[in-house]
Amino acid sequence: MLTILAYSMVVVFMYLIMTKRLPALVALIVVPIGFGVIGGFGPQLGPMMLDGIRNLAPTGVMLMFAILYFGIMIDSGLFDPVVRLILKLVGGDPFKIVVGTAVLAMFISLDGDGATTYMITVAAMLPLYVRLGMSRLVLACVIMLAGGVFNILPWGGPTARAATALGVDVSDIFVPMILPMAVTSLWVVFVACVLGMKERKRLGIMTLPTQAEKAEQAAKAAQNVAVLQPAVAAAEMNGTTGHWSPSAAASAYDGNVHQLAGGRVESTVTPSAEPALATGGGGGHGGGDDNDVSNAAIKRPKLIWVNLVMTTLLMGFLIKGVLPLPVLFMIFFAVAIMINYPGLEEQKERIAHHAANVVPVVSLIFAAGIFVGILQGTKMVDAIALSVIAGVPDWMGPYLAVVTGLLSIPFTFFISNDAFYFGIVPVLAKAAEVYGITAAEIGRASVIGQPVHLLSPLVASTYLLVGMCKVEFGDHQRFTLIWSISAALVMLVAALVFGVVPLMGSAA
């Protein structure tokens, strides 16, 4: 009964958010409470929910101050040189931008922290996607795929859990997986190429004008508008898909889109057609470089080296584990805002401006605490684990390494990493011993599902990603799921080809 209740709760939750019957915030609260009451746990739900919220509270605090810290860095102009460099390298080609997003995300993912990867990569790349009208679902998808591959680094979490649960050295699991990781990284780049080609086909290649060309175009546009026609709205963009819908008047007037041979479209981004970047300050360009992330009125170009040193120190302290993550971000945020915006009113304005990004993410984290608290407190998670083990037939015994790899795909999605690695993996490893499959081989197979795990509603950092990209959680899951599964399967095949995970053990 408890097993049916557990699976039903997960299925109903996924159905509600993926069909947009309920927002994720509401579904995370009402669905587990409803199933908890149905299961007869009503009187015990209060303490369970508090336990779940208490366990996720440090994550919520960390994300809140991390968003504030990186928000201050964006406002001050720290990432503007990065954006200008990327623009110089990729120009207005959506294909190059998507591939560049994948490479950048994989590089930053080397620190093993998903939240850091999301914040830095989105801060650098989102302005380009908004500027060119590209789909933000593509941005979120590519970043998550890169993070999923590198999540199996020893300092990323899952590999350490597997090694601890199985009593083996971390290097016995990770080092043999380097080659499969490399192959899967190439697959992520291939997926980025596919998605980038689709965006290029949809949008064409944009030619981003220089400052002199912008001034000339702006003067001409102003003259034409004044003489020939009334002002018209250039376009409206669907923030989730990135599709622009030009008005009829704007389409008739704007002559900056050219059909070339072979059906390719090339266009020039003019001041009248550019979407404003919804970033710092008032949202306008404020007389600054249009390629910048920040608003000129609040930029601190003289402090860029101070901010760079401060951010580098923060990253170093994160890797070394000098202090708990929430404490580090709280301290560095306080220092950053005092240095960059010493005035009291300036500080209030910056905090209020970024509150719109903080509240949705942190509220989702605490709502997820209710979901996790009830899932664990009612022992539903244990019921799911036992059903997995009981569902493996005896004839699959020699193939338990492959079975473990396949099971890691759905079950690191439906249950937490802790429940999977400490509850299911040791039992599978014990059964596999009979067939000559070592604990280390089972451990390697168990980390293969990590690209899919990051899509789970139980992963706090995912809410940060969708919040910063401003896409719906359900839309992100629908768009990314097939690519995440493909990445996990590529890793499994690569592990089998390289002999890291055995296809079959010896006879019992």
Side-chain angles (χ1 to χ4, degrees):
M1 173 62 185
L2 192 59
T3 303
I4 296 174
L5 195 70
Y7 281 110
S8 299
M9 184 176 82
V10 174
V11 169
V12 168
F13 170 77
M14 296 303 301
Y15 171 77
L16 289 174
I17 64 171
M18 294 187 78
T19 58
K20 297 187 177 181
R21 297 293 195 279
L22 285 177
L25 177 64
V26 177
L28 283 166
I29 297 172
V30 301
V31 171
I33 292 175
F35 277 88
V37 172
I38 292 172
F41 298 101
Q44 295 87 38
L45 289 182
M48 291 178 191
M49 290 187 284
L50 280 179
D51 286 341
I53 294 171
R54 191 179 297 114
N55 290 335
L56 287 182
T59 301
V61 173
M62 184 271 290
L63 292 178
M64 178 172 73
F65 284 95
I67 294 171
L68 289 173
Y69 175 81
F70 282 102
I72 295 301
M73 291 298 103
I74 292 170
D75 291 343
S76 67
L78 176 62
F79 297 105
D80 288 350
V82 177
V83 173
R84 287 195 292 268
L85 176 61
I86 294 172
L87 265 176
K88 184 178 180 181
L89 294 174
V90 304
D93 188 346
F95 173 80
K96 293 180 181 178
I97 290 173
V98 177
V99 174
T101 301
V103 174
L104 178 63
M106 285 189 282
F107 177 75
I108 298 173
S109 293
L110 289 171
D111 79 336
D113 181 61
T116 303
T117 300
Y118 298 157
M119 285 183 287
I120 294 177
T121 310
V122 174
M125 302 305 297
L126 181 60
L128 302 180
Y129 282 74
V130 174
R131 186 178 179 80
L132 301 182
M134 295 172 62
S135 170
R136 293 199 288 260
L137 284 173
V138 172
L139 172 64
C141 172
V142 171
I143 294 175
M144 177 159 284
L145 287 178
V149 175
F150 284 83
N151 198 41
I152 69 174
L153 290 168
W155 48 90
T159 302
R161 285 183 176 92
T164 302
L166 297 173
V168 299
D169 192 271
V170 172
S171 62
D172 291 337
I173 295 177
F174 173 69
V175 174
M177 288 297 293
I178 292 176
L179 283 176
M181 275 183 63
V183 172
T184 313
S185 298
L186 293 176
W187 174 255
V188 172
V189 173
F190 170 75
V191 172
C193 289
V194 172
L195 296 177
M197 288 299 294
K198 289 183 178 180
E199 287 296 278
R200 177 194 277 178
K201 183 177 180 181
R202 181 172 69 86
L203 296 169
I205 299 177
M206 311 286 183
T207 302
L208 299 177
T210 63
Q211 288 294 328
E213 290 171 337
K214 289 173 187 173
E216 182 181 352
Q217 290 168 355
K220 288 182 178 179
Q223 183 179 6
N224 290 339
V225 169
V227 175
L228 299 177
Q229 64 168 50
V232 294
E236 291 185 353
M237 184 180 73
N238 184 311
T240 297
T241 64
H243 288 265
W244 285 83
S245 302
S247 65
S251 299
Y253 166 69
D254 193 3
N256 68 337
V257 179
H258 311 284
Q259 185 77 32
L260 303 180
R264 186 167 67 88
V265 176
E266 183 172 294
S267 61
T268 301
V269 179
T270 62
S272 61
E274 291 176 9
L277 299 184
T279 52
H285 298 306
D289 191 334
D290 284 350
N291 298 339
D292 289 348
V293 185
S294 56
N295 181 275
I298 56 175
K299 278 171 40 171
R300 299 293 184 263
K302 294 181 180 179
L303 295 174
I304 190 167
W305 290 109
V306 175
N307 289 327
L308 179 61
V309 170
M310 186 160 44
T311 303
T312 303
L313 281 174
L314 173 59
M315 293 298 103
F317 289 165
L318 286 174
I319 295 171
K320 293 288 186 182
V322 174
L323 288 172
L325 294 184
V327 176
L328 275 175
F329 275 111
M330 291 175 75
I331 294 172
F332 275 82
F333 161 71
V335 174
I337 198 169
M338 285 192 298
I339 291 175
N340 288 277
Y341 306 100
L344 180 61
E345 291 303 317
E346 284 182 309
Q347 292 177 5
K348 288 181 178 179
E349 182 183 345
R350 291 297 90 217
I351 293 172
H353 176 76
H354 293 293
N357 294 324
V358 171
V359 172
V361 174
V362 175
S363 60
L364 280 168
I365 298 301
F366 290 123
I370 290 180
F371 189 96
V372 174
I374 292 177
L375 192 67
Q376 294 178 343
T378 58
K379 305 298 181 184
M380 289 187 195
V381 66
D382 295 334
I384 292 175
L386 291 173
S387 71
V388 174
I389 297 167
V392 178
D394 293 338
W395 65 266
M396 284 189 177
Y399 307 97
L400 273 175
V402 177
V403 169
T404 300
L406 292 173
L407 287 177
S408 71
I409 296 174
F411 286 100
T412 56
F413 178 90
F414 289 121
I415 63 179
S416 68
N417 270 343
D418 286 337
F420 180 72
Y421 288 110
F422 293 109
I424 296 178
V425 172
V427 178
L428 293 173
K430 191 70 175 176
E433 280 183 6
V434 179
Y435 301 96
I437 302 172
T438 66
E441 289 169 335
I442 291 294
R444 294 166 204 156
S446 70
V447 301
I448 285 171
Q450 287 307 302
V452 179
H453 166 71
L454 292 183
L455 275 175
S456 170
L458 306 178
V459 179
S461 61
T462 303
Y463 299 111
L464 173 65
L465 176 63
V466 298
M468 291 188 70
C469 291
K470 294 181 174 60
V471 297
E472 289 294 328
F473 188 79
D475 290 338
H476 172 57
Q477 283 187 320
R478 282 198 305 272
F479 186 86
T480 308
L481 184 59
I482 186 65
W483 299 115
S484 294
I485 293 174
S486 71
L489 293 177
V490 166
M491 187 179 290
L492 177 58
V493 172
L496 291 171
V497 170
F498 289 118
V500 172
V501 173
L503 175 63
M504 182 178 180
S506 60

